[in-house]
Amino acid sequence: MDLYNGRLLVVDLTTGKVEINTLKEDFFEENVGGILGNIHLFEEYEEMDPLIIGTGPFTGTLFPGSCGGVISARSPLTGNLSHSPVTWFFTPEMKLAGFDHVVIGGAAEDPSFLWIRNENAVIREFPEDIIESWEITDYLRHELGDDRVQILTTGTYGFDGGLNAQIIENYWNSFERYGFGGLMAGKNLRAIAVRGLGDILLANPEKYMKGCLKVLNQTKNSPYYPEAFEKLVHSYSADPGIEEIKHRVDGCFNCPIPCRVFVKYNEPANELSSTDIEEPGMLLTDFEAFAILRKKGLNGEKAARVMEILSRKGIDPGVITSTKTNAFEGLLKEIEEISGIKEHVEGDIFLISRNNIANQIVAYTFGFCPVLSHMAEIVDYELFSQLIMDGADIEVNMVEVEGRINKITP
Amino acid sequence: MELKITPLKCTGCGACEIACSMYQDETNSTMVSSIILHREEKKNYFGIMIKTQKDVYLARPEGPEWLSQSEGASGPKPILLRPPCDGCKNREDKLCVKFCPSGSIEEGFTEEAG
Ligand code: SF4
Ligand code: SF4
Ligand code: SF4
């Protein structure tokens, strides 16, 4: 199949069974992909208490912001089926590894990881004592012999049973807000690793690229273009305060308006070479949590150091909203002790803002980043329908899709 | 090489790899491009390398460098086994230039080391 793989991976950690099922055209005509595909599959596999990762038609292609995937599961925090974005490079690799959706159910007896590549997957044992996210990613990349392997994991806090455990993307905080890290821990699943050496074919490459270029040019009209971290922090009425430690701006896969900044505090920020310092700093991904830390009075470096601890431990930075202290040491102590029900979880779909909500859900469906969809006016059902036609040569009933999107839009 | 690269503008997004694969093989992939993205993630050290007709151009952030093709990156599909950049000679536009969102790759000319 073009544009899509037409392949679903179903993993049962309890029995160790790995199944590869076909997804036919009618699945995509009906669900498009992403969040709508995940909701459909959740109904089918609910009894496995699954964690489902979905890509959309545009994921991994030249459509701007096409790092976008979605992870869906019953939240340990709310008990509801909930959805969060997967950004950075995981879902493009998953699609290039041959899968549109991955369903992971059951629970393994021993610590394990799932290794997805070449249209196949295996469940492998994982060392009991490696439980910090950064160590997990280092270990897997070394073991699997490839630095481009993408990893979803959580950290020490998550594997110790913490409720606000977040899914970490390689080393960095994600936008996952529903305690899915704890769900991974409960499944004895230390990590999901993926590498995509395959390809995505297109029915009409020239026309597909033309449509993507049109969208790329639209993103350049965004007030956030060409880089967004500081502007987003300002939008929470906080001063970023990272001039002294700012290293370089980082974009997720094919992102035209990167919202991430790497800061260095263990070596000079203007050091451009690869030095002996293995861990010079931190990639700031969660601009909202960073803004809150700044408003608590932490300087840029201290706020970044807090973010590093949260990412290593696999703690959702959203907990910052419920911490009482604004002193660095006190905050670290509170973070250390966090265990209770979190107070900040809202709704069942992670939203970057209360504006443009439907556009964020559209992003979750078609496979681009909801943060980008918040920053740039790129949603255009007519064009998207044409792109699916140019890419996959299938016709999607956009009126129905729009109806379903509106139905789940909070 | 019919390209001009400004390494520090690069955000490591990888769009150029896919764009080049679309030119080389009409496929959306990272395996058939003349461009490979290199990243040492924890150090935030990243940049692209391009296989040219004779050499490999390394767009290092601290300053570009030329290597011989046998010194280029390894990995699942080493640069040695990839097609060299021909400036998208079968097209009117250069796809990596078109799709690089940061302006790190532009049309231009960079003398090869030889
Ligand atoms: S907007 Fe931010 S989160 Fe979204 S793709 Fe770009 S860099 Fe990633
Ligand atoms: S100019 Fe064309 S062939 Fe050369 S690197 Fe760019 S896309 Fe590839
Ligand atoms: S497309 Fe441009 S910004 Fe993205 S990795 Fe390539 S050179 Fe860097």
Side-chain angles (χ1 to χ4, degrees):
Chain A
M1 217 187 147
D2 293 339
L3 191 62
Y4 297 97
N5 289 296
R7 223 175 273 115
L8 163 72
L9 176 68
V10 182
V11 178
D12 186 338
L13 294 168
T14 309
T15 61
K17 204 170 149 206
V18 171
E19 233 179 59
I20 294 156
N21 297 339
T22 304
L23 291 173
K24 296 217 179 84
E25 278 184 12
D26 54 2
F27 177 87
F28 300 108
E29 281 164 354
E30 189 191 325
N31 301 291
V32 181
I35 193 168
L36 298 184
N38 280 8
I39 290 172
H40 183 103
L41 292 167
F42 188 81
E43 283 168 17
E44 200 175 326
Y45 292 97
E46 190 168 2
E47 81 282 2
M48 294 169 85
D49 190 21
L51 194 94
I52 305 178
I53 308 164
T55 65
F58 303 158
T59 309
T61 73
L62 286 172
F63 188 96
S66 57
C67 68
V70 52
I71 185 158
S72 310
R74 193 174 291 290
S75 163
L77 296 171
T78 65
N80 300 336
L81 171 62
S82 310
H83 314 272
S84 281
V86 185
T87 58
W88 206 223
F89 291 84
F90 187 91
T91 34
E93 289 287 340
M94 180 176 125
K95 201 157 162 191
L96 291 170
F99 297 102
D100 302 300
H101 292 266
V102 173
V103 174
I104 306 166
E109 206 163 306
D110 300 308
S112 307
F113 77 100
L114 180 67
W115 175 214
I116 306 170
R117 62 167 181 167
N118 293 345
E119 302 173 10
N120 213 333
V122 285
I123 304 165
R124 286 213 200 148
E125 278 179 21
F126 197 90
E128 179 80 46
D129 57 336
I130 304 182
I131 56 168
E132 195 217 60
S133 64
W134 290 28
E135 286 176 10
I136 289 172
T137 295
D138 284 345
Y139 170 81
L140 281 173
R141 286 186 168 170
H142 181 257
E143 280 298 297
L144 302 172
D146 189 341
D147 277 347
R148 287 181 70 158
V149 169
Q150 300 299 310
I151 289 149
L152 298 182
T153 183
T154 181
T156 37
Y157 171 81
F159 293 117
D160 278 345
L163 259 178
N164 304 298
Q166 184 183 59
I167 287 195
I168 300 296
E169 294 170 345
N170 298 341
Y171 303 98
W172 323 118
N173 291 112
S174 65
F175 293 114
E176 190 275 294
R177 289 281 191 264
Y178 299 102
F180 293 167
L183 196 66
M184 277 184 78
K187 291 183 177 301
N188 236 335
L189 182 62
R190 288 284 164 84
I192 310 164
V194 67
R195 179 70 165 110
L197 308 182
D199 55 6
I200 302 165
L201 298 174
L202 298 165
N204 189 331
E206 269 318 310
K207 282 182 79 184
Y208 187 83
M209 284 196 289
K210 204 170 155 211
C212 294
L213 261 184
K214 187 176 167 199
V215 181
L216 177 59
N217 289 331
Q218 278 165 2
T219 63
K220 294 181 180 165
N221 299 326
S222 159
Y224 290 95
Y225 183 82
E227 56 167 279
F229 182 81
E230 283 96 328
K231 290 173 198 153
L232 286 161
V233 173
H234 273 299
S235 71
Y236 293 93
S237 313
D239 166 30
I242 54 166
E243 302 84 2
E244 308 275 300
I245 52 172
K246 182 171 178 177
H247 176 58
R248 290 177 74 184
V249 171
D250 284 56
C252 300
F253 177 79
N254 196 9
C255 180
I257 314 179
C259 72
R260 315 185 148 195
V261 162
F262 196 92
V263 290
K264 285 191 172 180
Y265 37 78
N266 295 327
E267 72 178 6
N270 60 6
E271 177 60 68
L272 293 172
S273 316
S274 170
T275 71
D276 291 342
I277 310 287
E278 289 296 327
E279 293 170 356
M282 172 71 193
L283 181 70
L284 299 176
T285 53
D286 191 330
F287 38 84
E288 183 185 8
F290 191 81
I292 291 166
L293 288 168
R294 290 283 293 133
K295 287 211 264 190
K296 280 179 178 285
L298 268 61
N299 67 24
E301 180 182 329
K302 282 188 173 160
R305 286 183 185 274
V306 170
M307 298 303 287
E308 179 187 327
I309 290 164
L310 294 169
S311 70
R312 283 178 182 272
K313 289 179 183 289
I315 302 177
D316 177 357
V319 297
I320 296 298
T321 49
S322 44
T323 51
K324 301 192 178 52
T325 180
N326 48 15
F328 185 60
E329 298 302 335
L331 191 61
L332 293 187
K333 203 158 164 280
E334 270 192 44
I335 289 170
E336 200 69 55
E337 287 164 0
I338 288 160
S339 61
I341 301 285
K342 83 158 61 163
E343 295 156 34
H344 73 279
V345 97
E346 260 180 67
D348 300 322
I349 303 177
F350 169 82
L351 299 167
I352 203 64
S353 94
R354 294 276 134 200
N355 303 325
N356 277 340
I357 293 180
N359 284 1
Q360 294 172 63
I361 315 284
V362 172
Y364 275 112
T365 305
F366 288 84
F368 56 98
C369 172
V371 182
L372 182 71
S373 196
H374 158 69
M375 296 192 292
E377 284 289 337
I378 54 176
V379 171
D380 177 343
Y381 278 103
E382 208 176 307
L383 176 66
F384 291 4
S385 160
Q386 187 58 49
L387 276 168
I388 294 180
M389 185 55 113
D390 297 337
D393 201 14
I394 61 170
E395 202 156 345
V396 172
N397 183 335
M398 282 294 170
V399 178
E400 266 177 35
V401 168
E402 198 176 351
R404 282 181 67 196
I405 286 175
N406 289 338
K407 222 164 126 192
I408 58 168
T409 298
Chain B
M1 177 174 71
E2 292 175 42
L3 298 168
K4 190 179 143 243
I5 317 290
T6 314
L8 280 179
K9 278 193 185 172
C10 177
T11 63
C13 76
C16 50
E17 284 185 324
I18 304 279
C20 187
S21 291
M22 291 295 292
Y23 169 70
Q24 298 289 6
D25 216 12
E26 283 214 334
T27 186
N28 195 110
S29 161
T30 57
M31 291 294 127
V32 288
S33 49
S34 314
I35 303 181
I36 297 183
L37 175 64
H38 171 81
R39 169 180 269 120
E40 292 164 41
E41 188 165 339
K42 266 200 299 182
K43 294 181 177 180
N44 203 43
Y45 181 76
F46 60 86
I48 56 165
M49 59 184 78
I50 306 177
K51 181 174 178 177
T52 60
Q53 296 296 329
K54 294 188 229 122
D55 306 296
V56 175
Y57 177 83
L58 238 55
R60 290 183 189 277
E62 69 271 39
E65 200 183 312
W66 286 94
L67 294 182
S68 74
Q69 292 186 350
S70 57
E71 292 171 295
S74 56
K77 180 89 180 269
I79 209 145
L80 205 59
L81 303 178
R82 293 176 181 242
C85 165
D86 65 9
C88 284
K89 70 171 186 214
N90 302 330
R91 306 181 55 92
E92 279 171 13
D93 51 2
K94 293 182 175 39
L95 286 181
C96 58
V97 173
K98 274 255 151 95
F99 281 98
C100 171
S102 70
S104 178
I105 311 181
E106 292 170 292
E107 297 228 14
F109 181 75
T110 307
E111 183 96 47
E112 294 201 31

